[in-house]
Amino acid sequence: MDRLKGERVSRHYKEIAFIDQNLDSEQSAIQRSQYMHNILKHAVHTTPFYRQYKGYTSLTDFPVIQKTKVQECFNDFKSDTYLSQAKFRVHTSGSTGIPFELFQDANKKKRNTADTIYFLKKANFNIGERLYDLEVWRGINMNSPVKAWLQNLKYIDITEFHDEKIESFLQSIKNKRYPQHFIGFASAYEHICKYLDRTQASFFHTKIASILAISETLTDYVKETMQKYFGVPVISRYSNEEIGIMAQQTYDMYDKRFEINWSSYHFEILKMNQDVPAQLGELGRVVVTDFFNYCMPMIRYDTGDVASFGANFGKNDIPSRYFERIEGRKMDIVYNTRGQVISSFIVYTKFYKYYNLLRQYQFVQVSANEYVVKLNTVSSFNFEKELIDDIKKDFGQDAMIQIAYVDEIPALSSGKRKKVVNLYKSA
């Protein structure tokens, strides 16, 4: 179909592959510089919001923008030259607490398609092979049955992913001779892992070629347990609806870094409360400039996520190939009683040894030294003191920790479940 339409996706794919595979080359740098020049020039000449920055000399002359600014001035971000052209609405369901939408033009949509194909291929997926998509599915966010069939795509709704449904899914993929692939919420994989551990299943070696986790943080437990049962690494992808694929882990179980998509975007890591670069290795806000959305240019857009660049950032003017860490949403960063940031990954490790006793858990910071641990248990839980003592090792001996037993931890409207919540303050 792309060949019949002039190979527009194919050309994007080739550009992405060249830049990604030759990131330290002069030609790659020139191409990315041209992308930046083109989008900045377009923005200041065609959008009401950016016209005031016509005299810019560098990217840093532009303001850092948040979702709230785009919402407040929505029409001012629209390019005059694209008002009457075909456009595509994209939106998020509000995982950050702020529902959000914007428009993309046809070329941006094709770039996203090319990004998707390229990064799926890096995860060991080839177009046409069977793909199971494990998310919360409703008619509004699904392709037509015909298009899903053509794409060899199978939707698995995880709204009520109970034991019977998990067993049915596992049986449906058993003993298939063709390559099969998973993409879906990390929490769906966690349900599968707990089920297989709980039933002590000696799972079959079915032909699973790749497993990709999206939208939620992938814990070590899920990564290691899925590898044990299915025999392939679980790869985490960093993306969002309004921008696209920004980074993805490699096909290596032991490499937790994220390869950055410098082909389609420019990234900055800025300090939590200042619009200045974070120090090397320091967690900061992920700020992205989208090279390809000419319909509604997103320049220095604060994604709401927190990450750090790899150690080679800035050397010889070559951008870091990796995010060393991606910690998730800024609003989900938690603090110890001394006011120091605690990695969400440390929180997850506190619960690993109890997974066979838990259906769900959630860690909530409610004040500077008060925390609530919500537990949805399989049976009685007799390890409160052990759990509290373990949490105090990292959060402080003066931490006040309450254990609350619940029947259910509700999902967000997107179907995602947050394991770490900060009600105290933003990072």
Side-chain angles (χ1 to χ4, degrees), residues 156-199:
I156 307 297
D157 185 20
I158 63 167
T159 304
E160 295 181 4
F161 212 37
H162 45 67
D163 287 1
E164 292 80 7
K165 195 167 183 179
I166 293 171
E167 176 61 24
S168 175
F169 169 64
L170 294 177
Q171 290 300 323
S172 73
I173 65 174
K174 189 174 182 179
N175 297 328
K176 296 291 193 297
R177 295 185 178 183
Y178 50 80
Q180 301 178 92
H181 305 261
F182 299 165
I183 186 171
F185 290 176
S187 58
Y189 301 147
E190 184 174 309
H191 284 301
I192 292 172
C193 291
K194 288 181 178 179
Y195 172 77
L196 291 173
D197 281 347
R198 192 168 60 251
T199 57

Side-chain angles (χ1 to χ4, degrees), residues 23 66 100 189 205 282 284 343 354:
L23 191 59
Q66 285 81 30
F100 181 69
Y189 301 147
H205 282 287
E282 178 186 6
S343 168
Y354 311 116

Side-chain angles (χ1 to χ4, degrees), residues 83-145:
L83 292 177
S84 59
Q85 295 192 30
K87 56 183 71 70
F88 303 87
R89 185 190 302 270
V90 294
H91 58 85
T92 67
S93 55
S95 297
T96 60
I98 306 172
F100 181 69
E101 70 172 17
L102 53 77
F103 290 102
Q104 296 176 348
D105 57 81
N107 190 55
K108 164 64 178 175
K109 188 173 175 62
K110 287 178 172 54
R111 185 71 176 200
N112 278 0
T113 299
D115 273 334
T116 300
I117 295 170
Y118 181 75
F119 281 94
L120 279 172
K121 191 172 183 62
K122 293 191 78 166
N124 202 35
F125 173 84
N126 296 299
I127 291 177
E129 294 175 344
R130 168 55 62 90
L131 180 63
Y132 296 93
D133 200 336
L134 291 80
E135 300 184 41
V136 173
W137 293 112
R138 301 292 181 268
I140 193 171
N141 65 340
M142 299 169 67
N143 290 331
S144 69

